[in-house]
Amino acid sequence: MMKIASTKIHLIERKFAKPIGGSGVTGVDIIVAAVRDADGCESLGFSYVIGGGGAVVAQLAQAQAARFLDGAALQAPPDHWLEIKKSFNRTGDGPNLLALAALDVALWDLTARRNNEPLARTLGGDILPVPIYASGGFSPNGTPEESAELAVSYIEAGYAGVKPRVNANEGDEAVLRAVRDAIGAQARLMADANEKGNVDTASRLLAQAGEYGLSFVEEPLPSSDILGYRRLAASRTPIAIGEHLQGLDRFAVCLDDGIAAVIQPDLAMAGGLTPCLEVARMAASKGVTVAPHFLPGLFVQLSGAFEGQLLLEEFPIVEDAFEGWPERNSDGTLQPRDCAGHGLSLKDTSL
């Protein structure tokens, strides 16, 4: 049986020229995992910590690899994932899952490379196009005119839709109106409130979103406010949630309670591709759209891997550290590259 020869963990700390996103993020730490088997086949995995603090996660990833992977027989990635995840029963998920995510991506990439097939096929899917919308560059502090101008540029560039930032306050309607008027009635429009609302302000935002034909509103409440989300679940405007969730049980609550019309697992917070695929399958059984948080060039590998709808988000955050991302099609879709594994490599090969 093939064995894992070595696992190396690297930390890349990146600072942004200016804060980005609805939370004003100033940087991101990338945890990179390089896994090599006894045949010399090498793979690449990664995770990240938004806002810094990745050193602890990198140390955890190294410890998990030393304990569970190095010298071990190579198994299916979900088997490795479950074995490592079970060790968190006394320490909790938290940073442990962020560390596991890097190892899990590397193990999936290694399996696909050994099979000499695209990761999409190893995951059970195929090289199929997936619609991609744009959310990068929108600021909750921007004027309605600025949001509208950026939205038009994205639609004209061929994206399948746009997702501006809002604040769950009295200024939201002006933003929604300006963007809708600018992009037209047929273009897909969403909004991201970044957990800023309460039940009253979120209800108002959802009503306004319905008036302007939004496909969904993302995180109108803090992700921990499950009781509040249950009160909002009857809204005629779909709600998106998931980027801050850890544990399949929390995803199950959002799906079983009818809270989420769109579920948004985050690669790092969820713990890798293995749980994200499981969330996608759970969502498909409920008729819920899967729109993963960030990383369209990696999550496109889920194309066709579950019996449901996949939607990708363009918000560059770690992309410029890697090469090999698939290029967007002119019709506003993205599809996996026809290469072994996920096709990604670090730009700085000295790491």
Side-chain angles (χ1 to χ4, degrees):
M1 182 172 289
M2 181 55 55
K3 289 191 174 183
I4 298 173
S6 64
T7 305
K8 295 182 180 180
I9 305 298
H10 305 290
L11 176 65
I12 302 173
E13 298 173 300
R14 305 180 72 85
K15 300 296 182 184
F16 302 138
K18 61 180 181 179
I20 64 172
S23 304
V25 176
T26 58
V28 61
D29 288 356
I30 308 170
I31 298 89
V32 179
V35 177
R36 182 176 181 177
D37 69 17
D39 279 347
C41 184
E42 297 183 358
S43 68
L44 177 70
F46 62 92
S47 181
Y48 57 86
V49 183
I50 297 174
V56 171
V57 177
Q59 291 172 0
L60 286 170
Q62 190 68 70
Q64 291 172 13
R67 182 180 176 187
F68 294 103
L69 298 183
D70 292 343
L74 181 62
Q75 306 175 61
D79 294 335
H80 286 296
W81 189 91
L82 185 59
E83 181 185 21
I84 298 173
K85 173 66 169 63
K86 285 180 177 179
S87 71
F88 305 161
N89 66 326
R90 296 294 184 183
T91 57
D93 290 341
N96 283 321
L97 275 182
L98 275 71
L100 177 52
L103 303 179
D104 185 66
V105 173
L107 289 166
W108 277 109
D109 186 42
L110 181 62
T111 303
R113 288 177 188 242
R114 286 184 56 81
N115 293 343
N116 194 31
E117 65 183 2
L119 177 54
R121 294 197 177 115
T122 304
L123 286 163
D126 209 341
I127 300 177
L128 302 170
V130 182
I132 180 170
Y133 71 89
S135 68
F138 289 105
S139 170
N141 301 316
T143 66
E145 292 75 19
E146 290 170 338
S147 294
E149 182 178 359
L150 181 57
V152 168
S153 70
Y154 279 134
I155 297 299
E156 290 180 344
Y159 284 92
V162 292
K163 187 179 71 183
R165 309 281 170 170
V166 294
N167 291 300
N169 64 21
E170 63 279 356
D172 293 345
E173 185 172 12
V175 174
L176 301 182
R177 183 191 309 115
V179 174
R180 174 53 79 199
D181 288 347
I183 65 175
Q186 301 306 313
R188 186 179 300 190
L189 174 61
M190 295 75 73
D192 189 350
N194 287 108
E195 300 189 305
K196 294 175 181 175
N198 55 46
V199 170
D200 290 337
T201 60
S203 296
R204 179 181 62 198
L205 172 58
L206 289 167
Q208 293 168 346
E211 180 180 350
Y212 292 101
L214 269 68
S215 298
F216 63 78
V217 171
E218 180 177 333
E219 292 190 322
L221 298 175
S223 60
S224 59
D225 189 4
I226 294 300
L227 295 179
Y229 274 108
R230 284 172 175 162
R231 292 176 60 183
L232 297 179
S235 168
R236 63 191 178 101
T237 298
I239 292 173
I241 187 174
E243 69 178 78
H244 293 107
L245 300 184
Q246 288 194 308
L248 293 177
D249 55 340
R250 294 203 60 198
F251 285 100
V253 167
C254 290
L255 293 169
D256 291 346
D257 285 8
I259 291 169
V262 178
I263 200 74
Q264 301 174 298
D266 177 87
L267 178 78
M269 291 291 285
L273 289 170
T274 293
C276 287
L277 179 56
E278 183 61 27
V279 169
R281 289 168 174 163
M282 292 164 55
S285 71
K286 302 287 185 180
V288 170
T289 296
V290 180
H293 187 227
F294 299 159
L295 296 174
L298 181 64
F299 278 118
V300 73
Q301 302 292 341
L302 295 179
S303 178
F306 62 99
E307 299 295 327
Q309 183 177 359
L310 180 63
L311 177 65
L312 301 173
E313 175 186 19
E314 179 75 58
F315 186 108
I317 191 165
V318 303
E319 276 78 355
D320 63 356
F322 300 91
E323 295 178 325
W325 298 105
E327 295 185 3
R328 178 171 47 85
N329 299 321
S330 59
D331 63 352
T333 62
L334 198 69
Q335 64 190 52
R337 292 175 54 205
D338 190 2
C339 63
H342 50 49
L344 303 176
S345 61
L346 275 176
K347 286 184 178 178
D348 188 350
T349 56
S350 66
L351 293 173

